[in-house]
Amino acid sequence: MSSGPLLEIDSLTFRYRRATEPAIRDLSLRVEPGEVLLVAGPSGCGKSTLIRAINGLIPHAYSGELAGEVRLLGQPTSKLRLREIALTVGTLLQDPAKQIVGSTTEAELAFGPENLGWTPADIRARIAEVVPEAGISALAGRETYALSGGERQLLAMAGALMLRPRLYVVDEPLANLDPATAHRLLAVLRTLADAGHAVVIVEHRVEEALE
């Protein structure tokens, strides 16, 4: 493991190709192992752009004018492939329906490892670890279309856990969750940070996230 910061952002400015003003201007931050960083702000302040910069979608999937640098474990994201970044950064979207592709819970958990060429035995072993860790034992064998919004959010979190990334970027995790499910999700994130990973939470409900 690297002894330096997991994430470093130096003087990041990004303007989308058809925009007149930058979505982010001269932003700098660093995130160390074990830290939880809460990013708060009104709609349109650049939170989604920050997430895309951390997980590599900027500059690899969004064109525009970019200045500054984002580094993961000391390496610029501009020089890493998205596949490589995904091994370090796990992203949890606000709407889990946008990232769940498997027809069943097990198929969803297997999706990432299968794309990386894992063996079926290794995938089964990781699923057996992740299901209790994410608190989704009750979802085993379920079809994903039948899950509630909160259940899908927990499944999406478990999907991120499958690849054991060092950094978790979570977009509005409390927006569509009941209090009990929100508590479970935040408890998983806190456990990950306590184990030496790092978490970046983008959230409007600041007080609940701080608790």
Side-chain angles (χ1 to χ4, degrees), residues 16 22-25 27 39 41-53 202:
Y16 291 98
I24 286 180
R25 189 191 302 271
L27 174 68
V39 179
S43 297
C45 74
K47 298 190 302 298
S48 295
T49 301
L50 174 61
I51 291 173
R52 293 167 184 160
V202 173

Side-chain angles (χ1 to χ4, degrees), residues 17 22 27 34 67 107 141 170 178:
R17 185 162 56 90
L27 174 68
V170 190
D178 61 82

Side-chain angles (χ1 to χ4, degrees), residues 3 13 18 38 61 71 100 107 126 144-145 147 154 166 176 184-186 196:
S3 59
T13 298
R18 296 185 179 180
L38 177 61
R71 294 186 296 275
I100 290 178
R126 181 58 57 84
T144 55
Y145 81 88
L147 301 179
L154 291 173
R166 297 289 308 282
N176 302 309
R184 288 169 61 190
L185 179 60
L186 290 176

Side-chain angles (χ1 to χ4, degrees), residues 51-62 72 77 82 85 89:
I51 291 173
R52 293 167 184 160
I54 295 173
N55 65 23
L57 293 180
I58 293 173
H60 295 292
Y62 287 86
L72 294 170
T77 55
L82 283 173
I85 294 172
V89 180

Side-chain angles (χ1 to χ4, degrees), residues 121-144:
D122 286 342
I123 293 174
R124 288 193 297 270
R126 181 58 57 84
I127 289 176
E129 295 175 4
V130 164
V131 165
E133 183 178 351
I136 61 168
S137 298
L139 305 185
R142 299 271 301 277
E143 294 184 328
T144 55

Side-chain angles (χ1 to χ4, degrees), residues 37-42 45-52 54 92 94 168-175 189 199-206 209:
L37 174 67
L38 177 61
V39 179
C45 74
K47 298 190 302 298
S48 295
T49 301
L50 174 61
I51 291 173
R52 293 167 184 160
I54 295 173
L92 183 62
Q94 178 181 354
Y168 294 83
V169 182
V170 190
D171 185 13
E172 300 282 357
L174 307 183
L189 295 173
V199 180
V200 176
I201 300 176
V202 173
E203 180 57 70
H204 279 106
R205 293 159 66 174
V206 176

